[in-house]
Amino acid sequence: MGFGVRWTLHGDGRTPAPGAVVRPEERLSWPRTAGLGAQHVVAMFGASFVAPVLMGLDPNLAIMMSGIATVIFLLATRGRVPSYLGCSLSFVGVAAAIRAGGGDSAVVTGAVFTVGAALFLAGLAVQRFGARIIHAAMPPVVTGAVVMLIGFNLAPVTASTYWPQDQWTALLTMLFTGLAVVCLRGFWSRIAIFLGLVFGYAVSWVFDLVFGKIHSTVGGPEAVDHWRLDLSGVGKADWIGLPSFHAPSFEWSAILIALPVVIALIAENAGHIKAVGEMTGDPLDDKLGTAIAADGAASMLSTAVGGPPNTTYSENIGVMAATRVYSTAAYWAAAGFALLFGLCPKFGAVVAAIPGGVLGGITVILYGMIGLLGAQIWLNGRVDLRNPLNLVPAAAGIIIGVGGVKLHFTDSFELGGIALGTIVVITGYHALRYFAPAHLKEQEPLLDSGTSDYDADADADTDAGGGKRG
């Protein structure tokens, strides 16, 4: 297939035949392919634009680099893995912790650049040695606990920063978004976050008209009178222009905070590869290492110029499942649309003007969903939390990560929050496993059966619970 940039026309080019799917190497007519590409951009819009705003980075640069990252991913995987790479929400807590410690945008992007480099090296290792090394070091109990503490560590950000700016708009936005996620079907459910943003914008505008300015905190500790929806920056922004770039800056304290996110990104990529392989009927186990390395390389490029890191998006998997179109041509079209949006500063100004109350309502759901993905990893991996070998390190690490417990080594160096919690989970699990009696060790699977099916020949007789596969 070369670099995966040649596609055969599927059927009449209009719609998939009954029971058939449009495979990655196929496409519909170009107008329909372009429309599907736009649909993918809309699907990732909510999270991919909210994330850079929450991280304090340029949303225009974020969307432009997401398009470039998608191109890199498609070329690296030779067109076999249909995927859109958007800004990762897993880094929002990292950015908040780094800024709370006095770091600026350059320090944030420098820290997440190192995460991209670590992810790239992890991908190369998986290519060379297989997924066994990943799952041996990070079994489901470890991966789930780290993802959970990363998500729940964000709770104070919502409670102290966004929600107080406009509690009633936040409450209404939260309720509407929750209803959209649960009650809508098909494509509309995939853009629930985007619909929540639009709803929050409308509520803020109406409240400004009816009630006037609100007296609350915004960007500082003191409460002031301000408009909920301030679009003054939109009028000043140009229609066409380059986003703002900056070089990363590297500080060890920030890097240590960011590195644990590598675990979440590996889990996301493994789950994505597994899901896409099952939907297309094309086993993609051999592409896991390539996908991880491509994700890391794309994140390094993005953060090197001041953008956010990227990851695969489950929202786009939902679009593919609903349309039965897995053509990578649609993702090339999506990347093109993203580049165009990135070159429109006025569009970025609209995103940057998202009211704090709206972000309060959205992040209550988003941050909680990130944390509960850790619980889903436990369920898929059949992790037995009655087993103290699993329970103790997970419990200790989550409390440390969520509660912000710190260890002070010197006046200038400390570990706490996400970094310390992750260290406790990983080292605690493996240390306890070394000393634990044999009957406790037998309950822990080698591979995460919920997200992977790698080294199947070597492990054909082992399931997630340590028994025989039926």
Side-chain angles (χ1 to χ4, degrees), residues 136-354:
M138 297 179 296
V141 62
V142 170
T143 306
V146 172
V147 172
M148 184 174 289
L149 70 86
I150 287 173
F152 291 160
N153 177 267
L154 295 165
V157 177
T158 293
S160 61
T161 302
Y162 298 117
W163 191 279
Q165 292 186 35
D166 187 356
Q167 60 177 358
W168 297 113
T169 296
L171 179 63
L172 290 174
T173 302
M174 179 193 72
L175 294 174
F176 176 87
T177 305
L179 286 171
V181 171
V182 174
C183 298
L184 297 180
R185 294 290 183 268
F187 173 72
W188 294 105
S189 68
R190 304 299 172 186
I191 62 169
I193 300 299
F194 172 68
L195 296 177
L197 290 173
V198 174
F199 175 82
Y201 256 85
V203 169
S204 298
W205 177 69
V206 171
F207 279 8
D208 279 343
L209 289 178
V210 175
F211 303 110
K213 292 184 177 181
I214 186 173
H215 186 76
S216 67
T217 58
V218 53
E222 299 295 330
V224 296
D225 291 330
H226 63 94
W227 296 110
R228 296 167 181 82
L229 180 60
D230 183 3
L231 296 177
S232 59
V234 177
K236 300 175 184 177
D238 296 327
W239 280 103
I240 299 176
L242 289 173
S244 58
F245 300 95
H246 69 259
S249 176
F250 301 94
E251 294 184 6
W252 276 112
S253 58
I255 291 172
L256 291 174
I257 292 173
L259 277 176
V261 181
V262 170
I263 297 174
L265 297 180
I266 291 173
E268 288 175 355
N269 276 280
H272 184 88
I273 292 294
K274 179 69 173 178
V276 172
E278 289 179 348
M279 288 190 299
T280 61
D282 179 18
L284 297 172
D285 299 349
D286 60 312
K287 286 296 181 182
L288 177 62
T290 301
I292 293 174
D295 190 350
S299 292
M300 291 169 65
L301 178 61
S302 177
T303 53
V305 297
N310 297 285
T311 190
T312 53
Y313 262 45
S314 61
E315 289 91 337
N316 298 98
I317 291 180
V319 172
M320 290 189 292
T323 61
R324 294 182 294 136
V325 177
Y326 304 99
S327 171
T328 53
Y331 284 100
W332 278 91
F337 283 120
L339 289 171
L340 292 177
F341 280 129
L343 295 174
C344 180
K346 194 173 289 291
F347 183 74
V350 172
V351 176
I354 298 174

Side-chain angles (χ1 to χ4, degrees), residues 55 100 104 113 231 281 394 436:
M55 294 175 68
D104 57 12
F113 177 92
L231 296 177

